[in-house]
Amino acid sequence: MSKLRQFRPCLLLILLLPALFLLAANSPAEEESRWEKWHPSGKSANFKIRQRPKTKILSGAKTTLLIAATSDLHGSLTSTRLLPRKRSRGLLHLVMPLKKLREKYPQLILLDAGDTIQGDPSSFYFSHVEPEPTKPLPVIEMMNWLKYDALTLGNHDFEPPTNILKQNIAQAQFSWLAANVSFRNAKQPLFPPYKIIERNGVRVGILGLITPGVPLWIDPEQRKGLNFKEMLETAKKWVKVLREQEKVDYLIGLFHSGDNTQYDSDVASTRELPHPNAAGMIADFLPEFDLIISGHAHRISPRRRTEKLKGHQTPLVSPGTAAEGLSTILLNFEEKSGNWEITETVYDFIKAEKVPEAQLLRKLEVRLLKVEKYLAEPTSVILKRFPKKTEFQDCGIALSFSAVESMEAETISLLPWWWFRGKLRFTDLGQALRREHFFRWLPYDNRPVLVLMYGRQIEIMLESYRRKKLGWYARSSTILTPGGFAAVLDNSSNSNRLYLKNPQGQALLPEKKYRVWLTNFHWNGGGGLAAKALLHPSQLLKKEALHLRELIFQYLQQSSVKLPEKCKSFLAQRTTVMNQ
């Protein structure tokens, strides 16, 4: 292959750039930030740095402190309702373990590392379908009952409507922390950076930090005016305050950020964003911390009782996701030279109880029944038989395109290939697909966006699809599938490039513009695809208000719905079956 041919794609994009920037002149005027003039209320209000005296410790004193933590709850209440699962999880399953711990350690500190209010159908329903201004979301109501002390905000907490997040901050009986989030050029963070708790004679400082990768995943209007700063430098600043001014005896980093620094770092670098997963880096390079609790990665560490943790200079624990259990850190202190010295630390992970706590479940009953009624709404399509994995994925891809195309003709799509199949119940056979099924299959709250794209940009965004076709590794969240056109491997050369063609067999031209449906996740920068394809904000044509999951559900509710051919082997319209 000649050098000219090797660099042709790059040259083409360079030639297209002036056209992209010319479109920017027609961009709509920006709306005012939803965070303008807002200040935290409730337990998160009135943050102030204090000059505290050193803790007075009696000579020879000993004490014990227990810290318990969850993370990435995603609204999870119980695995027995809404979307039942075999594995026990949800806050209602942690009630009894926490009760037993509090009986033995009344001064227990209970924390959460973020991604709290988005994910579960109950959170979705009371955020998007029937908001209740006088009540917090069920997950926050549960956390109030369980007497949480603090949480750190996570990226998904910015996903629901902004007024829902603000409302739940106000109605929570605990603090919401984020030291590295500021509004525009403000010197102080928008949220409280830390919380001070004194238990059993030990002054504990809890510093909250959120992943600065938020702009990669969250819609601009949800975070307009907010700056998400680099974690390590922010931590250094506040560690000095906590040690020298607040004079804490024990310092916890409560981070919504994974410990694998390399994960997503390449994606972030394309947008000139700091490391999204910096918890491990801080654990290695900032010894002023005594403990780091790391969320975001949905990882459990350690999984069993131990007195030593490996991997980082500072002990780092990860509590998993969806309240599948509870990380605990038991600390024994002894006075040495007027200071508290840790003599023993025991780390453990307590699994969720199999049965949810009955009394609190009854308190949530009215709200759960509303959500279950919503999930039980049927489509006009029935399940004839259980599909094979490939049948299920092919049908899901086809349905995604059919649903978006029904809104606007003469469009094509680049939508995610992943549909979480799970195991269908035997009782689903012969019955209508319900909204519940789509919450299982498409758990992410993604919305379709329509973008004016060049053919070459489409090919670039299909790179992971190409790799998958070749049998090579490709990260699942970056695999987009063609809808309304075909992408065929060109085996006539060593490049194995994709040949893009419309249903009539005509090629999609690199320099021609096409109207393409994406999800807001990939448009915002998730997976790094938008940056690689040099997508420009001026290329956005419109954003759909409905989530992709709901759009497909409503499409299948139509009595005259036209099922894609790839779905007809295991799905059928109810009217067709009734007439047979």
Side-chain angles (χ1 to χ4, degrees):
M1 182 185 293
S2 68
K3 289 187 177 180
L4 179 61
R5 187 175 176 186
Q6 284 181 325
F7 290 104
R8 188 177 295 161
C10 297
L11 291 169
L12 179 59
L13 278 179
I14 291 170
L15 292 171
L16 294 176
L17 277 174
L20 293 178
F21 287 107
L22 192 61
L23 288 170
N26 298 321
S27 298
E30 291 187 0
E31 62 178 20
E32 186 177 323
S33 170
R34 298 171 186 178
W35 297 98
E36 190 87 45
K37 299 178 182 178
W38 179 83
H39 299 284
S41 55
K43 293 288 185 180
S44 300
N46 305 317
F47 168 78
K48 185 180 180 181
I49 299 172
R50 297 186 181 181
Q51 299 284 344
R52 298 178 193 261
K54 186 178 178 297
T55 307
K56 292 182 180 179
I57 307 170
L58 294 175
S59 177
K62 295 181 180 181
T63 192
T64 299
L65 190 62
L66 183 69
I67 299 160
T70 55
S71 185
D72 297 87
L73 294 175
H74 290 287
S76 183
L77 302 171
T78 174
S79 49
T80 64
R81 301 283 293 272
L82 305 183
L83 302 177
R85 290 175 166 86
K86 284 186 177 181
R87 183 180 296 179
S88 298
R89 64 188 221 177
L91 280 178
L92 283 162
H93 298 257
L94 296 183
V95 175
M96 291 312 295
L98 279 167
K99 183 180 179 182
K100 292 174 185 176
L101 289 173
R102 286 193 187 278
E103 287 172 355
K104 192 172 181 180
Y105 305 99
Q107 297 293 301
L108 176 146
I109 295 174
L110 183 55
L111 307 172
D112 185 82
D115 271 7
T116 307
I117 65 171
Q118 178 276 339
D120 186 81
S122 64
S123 286
F124 183 88
Y125 183 84
F126 292 108
S127 293
H128 298 279
V129 182
E130 189 184 337
E132 297 180 322
T134 60
K135 288 184 180 180
L137 293 172
V139 66
I140 300 301
E141 190 176 4
M142 274 294 306
M143 293 175 79
N144 286 341
W145 287 336
L146 292 172
K147 298 181 181 179
Y148 271 77
D149 292 292
L151 70 72
T152 288
L153 283 113
N155 50 292
H156 281 291
D157 294 320
F158 288 92
E159 204 163 343
T162 307
N163 64 304
I164 296 294
L165 173 55
K166 293 175 181 178
Q167 173 193 330
N168 281 272
I169 291 172
Q171 293 170 339
Q173 294 171 20
F174 49 84
S175 301
W176 297 60
L177 310 177
N180 59 330
V181 181
S182 62
F183 184 72
R184 294 195 172 136
N185 297 320
K187 292 183 179 180
Q188 295 301 316
L190 180 63
F191 303 93
Y194 62 79
K195 183 179 180 68
I196 302 295
I197 297 174
E198 298 205 19
R199 303 272 166 90
N200 286 349
V202 181
R203 184 178 299 156
V204 180
I206 303 152
L207 178 68
L209 292 171
I210 183 175
T211 170
V214 172
L216 289 171
W217 311 302
I218 302 300
D219 288 336
E221 56 270 24
Q222 296 288 98
R223 53 178 173 79
K224 187 181 177 190
L226 299 184
N227 293 319
F228 297 86
K229 298 179 181 178
E230 197 272 333
M231 291 177 60
L232 181 59
E233 291 305 312
T234 304
K236 287 178 181 177
K237 169 187 173 180
W238 291 105
V239 159
K240 188 174 182 181
V241 171
L242 284 157
R243 289 297 190 186
E244 296 179 6
Q245 294 177 251
E246 298 283 3
K247 293 184 171 60
V248 298
D249 303 307
Y250 189 81
L251 181 54
I252 300 171
L254 187 62
F255 301 159
H256 188 78
S257 177
D259 67 328
N260 181 353
T261 309
Q262 297 304 312
Y263 193 80
D264 266 343
S265 61
D266 57 336
V267 176
S269 67
T270 61
R271 292 274 297 274
E272 298 183 348
L273 295 172
H275 289 293
N277 294 287
M281 181 166 59
I282 294 174
D284 287 331
F285 295 105
L286 209 53
E288 287 85 351
F289 282 101
D290 296 296
L291 172 70
I292 288 175
I293 299 169
S294 165
H296 188 55
H298 293 202
R299 192 171 73 89
I300 299 174
S301 177
R303 288 184 172 271
R304 56 187 63 84
R305 184 182 176 92
T306 182
E307 294 184 12
K308 287 188 178 181
L309 296 180
K310 298 177 181 179
H312 299 286
Q313 296 297 315
T314 300
L316 184 147
V317 302
S318 300
T321 181
E324 55 193 329
L326 190 69
S327 289
T328 62
I329 304 94
L330 180 62
L331 301 157
N332 289 322
F333 294 90
E334 188 174 322
E335 182 272 337
K336 290 283 179 70
S337 303
N339 298 311
W340 283 123
E341 183 176 295
I342 301 168
T343 57
E344 183 184 32
T345 307
V346 180
Y347 308 92
D348 205 354
F349 185 77
I350 301 171
K351 291 183 179 180
E353 295 276 321
K354 290 185 178 180
V355 180
E357 203 278 330
Q359 186 177 353
L360 290 182
L361 182 60
R362 282 195 295 271
K363 288 186 177 183
L364 290 172
E365 186 65 21
V366 172
R367 302 180 88 182
L368 290 178
L369 286 173
K370 284 184 178 181
V371 183
E372 286 174 337
K373 183 179 178 181
Y374 172 73
L375 293 174
E377 289 185 26
T379 65
S380 65
V381 173
I382 68 163
L383 181 69
K384 294 193 297 183
R385 64 170 177 82
F386 295 133
K388 297 176 182 177
K389 184 178 178 179
T390 53
E391 288 179 315
F392 178 78
Q393 291 290 353
D394 289 344
C395 173
I397 293 164
L399 276 177
S400 297
F401 172 66
S402 296
V404 293
E405 189 196 31
S406 69
M407 293 189 299
E408 192 145 350
E410 298 182 8
T411 55
I412 58 178
S413 68
L414 290 173
L415 296 173
W417 75 280
W418 72 84
W419 277 50
F420 293 82
R421 181 168 167 242
K423 190 173 182 180
L424 290 160
R425 294 189 294 261
F426 182 76
T427 52
D428 288 334
L429 280 176
Q431 301 299 314
L433 294 183
R434 303 179 298 280
R435 186 182 270 114
E436 170 196 341
H437 291 105
F438 296 93
F439 268 86
R440 290 183 184 276
W441 297 338
L442 294 168
Y444 301 115
D445 294 345
N446 292 329
R447 288 185 170 95
V449 298
L450 189 61
V451 181
L452 190 64
M453 293 175 62
Y454 290 94
R456 176 58 184 147
Q457 291 177 310
I458 295 171
E459 184 182 351
I460 291 171
M461 294 194 76
L462 283 169
E463 173 57 20
S464 290
Y465 176 82
R466 183 184 79 92
R467 292 181 63 85
K468 186 172 182 291
K469 285 282 186 183
L470 289 166
W472 301 345
Y473 169 77
R475 187 170 157 185
S476 61
S477 62
T478 66
I479 303 173
L480 304 182
T481 53
F485 70 102
V488 182
L489 282 172
D490 179 7
N491 295 317
S492 62
S493 67
N494 293 330
S495 66
N496 290 315
R497 284 185 62 176
L498 287 174
Y499 177 64
L500 312 182
K501 57 183 180 179
N502 64 22
Q504 291 74 43
Q506 299 167 325
L508 270 61
L509 302 177
E511 70 281 3
K512 187 177 177 181
K513 295 182 222 176
Y514 301 88
R515 296 191 303 158
V516 185
W517 290 102
L518 304 173
T519 64
N520 62 330
F521 171 79
H522 290 107
W523 167 251
N524 290 334
L529 300 178
K532 289 176 183 176
L534 296 179
L535 293 186
H536 189 272
S538 61
Q539 293 179 260
L540 179 65
L541 298 176
K542 73 172 184 177
K543 292 184 176 182
E544 179 58 38
L546 286 178
H547 295 84
L548 179 60
R549 171 182 58 224
E550 181 65 15
L551 189 65
I552 296 169
F553 171 78
Q554 290 188 13
Y555 174 74
L556 292 176
Q557 273 192 313
Q558 302 172 78
S559 57
S560 58
V561 64
K562 184 178 179 182
L563 275 175
E565 288 297 321
K566 291 184 177 180
C567 298
K568 289 181 179 179
S569 61
F570 64 95
L571 297 179
Q573 289 175 269
R574 277 194 289 179
T575 51
T576 304
V577 174
M578 289 172 64
N579 293 332
Q580 288 178 350

